[in-house]
Amino acid sequence: MPEPLRILRRRAMQNKTGLPYSSINDRVRQGALPPPISLGGNTVGWLEHEIDAVLRARMAGKTDPEVRALVSQLKAERARAA
């Protein structure tokens, strides 16, 4: 049975990454973090398993282009799942 999806809201995302919100937004724009998903209205959240994958890549010493490629792959997987 697959694990349930966990959504990180803004504060949890900041705590998990150690980044301020403005840096999170910058990295999303640069393709270094996956974009948030809409939860309705003005509410957004990030899929925790995607953020975990990016953090694991960073811990493994992946380069910025490698991390951007991972984020592109995660976004493609998200689109296929929809």
Side-chain angles (χ1 to χ4, degrees):
M1 182 169 159
E3 287 190 41
L5 291 177
R6 288 187 36 109
I7 305 295
L8 298 173
R9 296 292 307 282
R10 186 179 109 168
R11 180 77 61 207
M13 179 66 166
Q14 289 175 272
N15 289 337
K16 188 164 196 91
T17 63
L19 297 170
Y21 194 58
S22 60
S23 293
I24 291 169
N25 287 333
D26 288 344
R27 290 184 186 200
V28 168
R29 278 192 292 280
Q30 296 164 0
L33 280 174
I37 59 170
S38 174
L39 300 174
N42 293 329
T43 307
V44 298
W46 286 263
L47 297 171
E48 185 175 42
H49 72 276
E50 292 180 351
I51 302 308
D52 287 344
V54 170
L55 293 175
R56 281 193 300 275
R58 288 286 181 197
M59 288 183 337
K62 301 293 183 185
T63 64
D64 288 342
E66 290 173 319
V67 170
R68 284 193 293 274
L70 170 62
V71 169
S72 292
Q73 178 185 356
L74 292 168
K75 288 167 54 177
E77 290 172 7
R78 187 191 292 185
R80 281 193 300 273

